[in-house]
Amino acid sequence: MLEPILKETFGVIIYQEQVMQIAQVMAGYSLGDADLLRRAMGKKIRSEMEKQRAIFVAGSVKNGVPKGQADTIFELLAKFADYGFNKSHAAAYALVSYQTAYMKAHYPVEFLAASMTLELNKPTSSRSFAPRRSGSRSRSRRPTSIARPDLRGQ
């Protein structure tokens, strides 16, 4: 029943759209009701989640799914809310991640300068660019070193 929905993600619920499809196929939700379920999970509203659980389990049982299995699947859907996101956003995040990794690998000095510029007005985050006493992998691969400010000009 769930295989066609979860096949592209190797059986793991990742996208909000998958939660909505599972609710439709298993529990007979309409598209609008499935969206309400998705929103309730995203906002983690306990009272709404319990209401949705009852609807989901009853609908699933009506469609021939054992009650225990329906409860288990609802729990998996609820866990999804901690990390799942919209599929179209996933593609954009992947592209930005790829571009960022490319820039860091091929233009490390420029990447570091741009990163520091973005964090210029955030005094607490500038500490992440300071040289570390203990060796770190990222620091050892830098083509240049970062010196602490020297007010005496030495």
Side-chain angles (χ1 to χ4, degrees):
M1 183 182 282
L2 300 181
E3 185 178 348
I5 298 169
L6 300 176
K7 187 175 182 175
E8 73 173 321
T9 56
F10 301 98
V12 179
I13 303 166
I14 296 176
Y15 304 121
Q16 292 173 347
E17 292 86 350
Q18 289 174 310
V19 169
M20 294 171 65
Q21 286 179 311
I22 290 168
Q24 286 178 293
V25 169
M26 260 188 78
Y29 275 62
S30 69
L31 192 55
D33 290 338
D35 190 48
L36 292 175
L37 171 66
R38 178 199 58 81
R39 273 192 263 158
M41 288 184 169
K43 294 182 180 180
K44 298 179 180 112
I45 304 167
R46 180 165 297 286
S47 61
E48 183 62 25
M49 287 289 287
E50 289 308 314
K51 179 180 158 189
Q52 290 293 334
R53 175 192 293 276
I55 295 168
F56 182 87
V57 171
S60 297
V61 169
K62 185 178 173 184
N63 287 331
V65 178
K67 184 183 183 313
Q69 189 176 11
D71 273 322
T72 301
I73 292 172
F74 188 87
E75 284 301 317
L76 291 172
L77 294 176
K79 284 181 184 176
F80 146 86
D82 292 336
Y83 65 86
F85 44 90
N86 184 289
K87 190 174 186 178
S88 64
H89 292 171
Y93 294 152
L95 181 61
V96 169
S97 297
Y98 172 80
Q99 290 169 336
T100 302
Y102 180 89
M103 296 301 286
K104 186 175 181 180
H106 295 282
Y107 302 96
V109 174
E110 294 84 350
F111 179 83
L112 187 59
S115 298
M116 291 174 76
T117 300
L118 283 172
E119 301 296 322
L120 196 59
N121 294 323
K122 300 177 190 172
T124 57
S125 62
S126 64
R127 282 185 240 156
S128 64
F129 297 106
R132 294 189 180 114
R133 288 196 175 101
S134 61
S136 76
R137 261 183 63 193
S138 182
R139 186 173 145 220
S140 66
R141 292 188 308 219
R142 287 184 190 153
T144 186
S145 63
I146 300 173
R148 295 187 181 276
D150 183 1
L151 300 177
R152 291 180 262 164
Q154 295 177 356

